[in-house]
DNA sequence: CGTGTTTGACCAGCGC
DNA sequence: GCGCTGGTCAAACACG
């Protein structure tokens, strides 16, 4: 259990949807659909968790991994989000239980916590994770109309693995990668120790990182995994994903 | 000055 | 009901 096993929606290893969804929303309506489908699984199936951990090696180029996304649940989400984000202190800070945003997680072998995905993220919180020496950071997309969130935490089993969980979908094009970012940026991450205490229960916050637009990977060798109880992603699938990603990127370059 | 981070506090859900 | 925990807020702060 890498700490992300609770609420992620299901994804098929073969869908390749993650990258598609993240990278080419406008061109991937059908993929969006799939996404929606995933996210709209019956609430009753509370265990929607087949986590998405792809075994795709991440080259720096892949930093565009999550460019813009769909408009899908955005309506719902935005409404909900904007509601509480702006000054709704007392009443119901939390999201309605019934409303689940499309969510997926992936694990990345990386030294940096905050993997670049082409979007601008604003950190809005950080928490110590139970049974883990590493904090979990919370980010929101800085686009005003976009309520996408993501959580970043390190696996306690393999501290070289960063677990990133996206929640929601971007309702705007990627600000930095109109058609897919293929550049590389150096990392600015600093990994600090514990710097602060939290509130009750020993939950504490850490100052650990710098999130910025392109704080991606020094680690040339990031790896994405499928995490889930059956963490075995067929090799074919791995290859498929890799191919898919690389071909995507190629076509993207061409488009540029 | 605008943008993003830090961090203590608050709130709600959940399990016992 | 209570305590624990995850998620979020927002003021203060840092930085370019």
């Amino acid at each position: 259990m890498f700490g992300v096993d609770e609420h992620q929606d299901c994804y098929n290893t073969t869908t390749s949807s993650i990258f598609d969804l993240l990278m080419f929303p406008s061109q991937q309506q059908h993929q969006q659909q799939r996404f929606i489908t995933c996210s709209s699984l019956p609430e009753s199936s509370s265990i929607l968790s087949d986590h998405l951990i792809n075994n795709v090696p991440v080259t720096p180029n892949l930093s565009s991994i999550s460019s813009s996304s769909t408009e899908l649940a955005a309506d719902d989400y935005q409404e909900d989000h904007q509601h509480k984000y702006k000054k709704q202190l007392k009443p119901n800070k939390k999201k309605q239980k019934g409303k689940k945003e499309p969510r997926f997680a992936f694990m990345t072998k990386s030294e940096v916590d905050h993997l670049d995905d082409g979007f601008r993220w604003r950190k809005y919180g950080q928490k110590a994770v139970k049974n883990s020496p590493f904090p979990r950071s919370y980010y929101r997309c800085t686009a005003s109309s976009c309520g996408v969130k993501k959580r970043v935490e390190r696996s306690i089993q393999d501290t070289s693995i960063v677990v990133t969980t996206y929640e929601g979908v971007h309702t705007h094009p990627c600000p930095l990668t109109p058609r897919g970012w293929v550049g590389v940026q150096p990392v600015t991450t600093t990994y600090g120790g514990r710097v602060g205490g939290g509130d009750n229960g020993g939950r504490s916050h850490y100052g650990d990182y710098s999130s910025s637009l392109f704080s991606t990977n020094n680690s040339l060798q990031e790896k994405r995994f499928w995490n889930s109880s059956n963490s075995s992603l067929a090799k074919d699938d791995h290859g498929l994903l890799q191919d898919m990603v690389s071909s995507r990127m190629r076509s993207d370059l061409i488009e540029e």
Side-chain angles (χ1 to χ4, degrees):
Chain A
M1 96 162 180
F2 287 99
V4 288
D5 29 0
E6 304 136 350
H7 318 298
Q8 265 80 38
D9 291 342
C10 299
Y11 292 90
N12 275 330
T13 57
T14 53
T15 62
S16 73
S17 57
I18 313 310
F19 294 104
D20 285 334
L21 281 168
L22 289 173
M23 296 168 83
F24 308 97
S26 58
Q27 305 160 15
Q28 303 288 337
Q29 296 298 334
H30 55 293
Q31 301 280 9
Q32 292 178 21
Q33 201 53 47
R34 176 158 37 200
F35 201 20
I36 293 170
T37 302
C38 282
S39 65
S40 50
L41 285 168
E43 288 302 324
S44 54
S45 62
S46 53
I47 310 292
L48 298 171
S49 43
D50 269 342
H51 314 136
L52 179 101
I53 314 244
N54 337 339
N55 212 353
V56 177
V58 178
T59 68
N61 287 353
L62 205 53
S63 50
S64 60
I65 184 170
S66 86
S67 95
S68 63
S69 248
T70 84
E71 279 116 57
L72 92 76
D75 290 344
D76 255 359
Y77 185 79
Q78 268 174 262
E79 210 176 310
D80 183 45
H81 176 71
Q82 286 178 346
H83 246 240
K84 63 177 183 190
Y85 190 28
K86 273 298 168 194
K87 264 297 182 288
Q88 201 175 357
L89 253 173
K90 297 302 173 190
N92 214 0
K93 273 184 178 179
K94 285 195 148 181
K95 197 176 299 181
Q96 304 294 344
K97 182 100 206 268
K99 287 193 174 183
K100 278 190 177 174
E101 294 307 319
R103 185 188 291 188
F104 64 89
F106 56 88
M107 301 174 75
T108 306
K109 188 152 194 164
S110 171
E111 291 173 17
V112 293
D113 286 358
H114 190 202
L115 302 170
D116 163 53
D117 53 21
F119 284 89
R120 299 182 62 168
W121 298 95
R122 179 189 183 86
K123 188 176 186 176
Y124 67 89
Q126 186 168 279
K127 286 288 219 184
V129 181
K130 190 186 173 192
N131 295 328
S132 170
F134 301 103
R136 173 184 298 152
S137 298
Y138 299 90
Y139 301 89
R140 237 190 300 262
C141 181
T142 58
S144 57
S145 62
C146 182
V148 175
K149 286 179 279 192
K150 85 174 175 184
R151 291 194 303 245
V152 178
E153 64 186 281
R154 251 174 212 286
S155 164
I156 57 176
Q157 315 222 319
D158 184 343
T159 59
S160 65
I161 292 177
V162 175
V163 180
T164 304
T165 305
Y166 286 89
E167 188 175 324
V169 290
H170 294 282
T171 59
H172 56 95
C174 175
L176 297 167
T177 67
R179 299 209 194 135
W181 168 254
V182 289
V184 188
Q185 292 286 324
V187 181
T188 55
T189 294
T190 59
Y191 218 101
R194 183 176 188 144
V195 299
D199 55 19
N200 61 322
R203 284 175 294 138
S204 48
H205 302 200
Y206 298 65
D208 68 327
Y209 102 120
S210 84
S211 99
S212 49
L213 321 189
F214 283 105
S215 60
T216 315
N217 33 68
N218 285 347
S219 58
L220 306 174
Q221 212 191 334
E222 297 179 39
K223 255 186 155 180
R224 302 214 150 110
F225 304 87
W226 280 98
N227 168 30
S228 85
S229 33
N230 69 357
S231 56
S232 56
L233 173 63
K235 278 184 178 170
D236 286 345
D237 289 335
H238 292 167
L240 185 144
L241 281 168
Q242 293 178 15
D243 289 347
M244 182 265 298
V245 169
S246 54
S247 67
R248 280 290 181 198
M249 300 195 51
R250 254 180 276 119
S251 62
D252 216 39
L253 277 169
I254 292 169
E255 202 175 330
E256 275 293 310

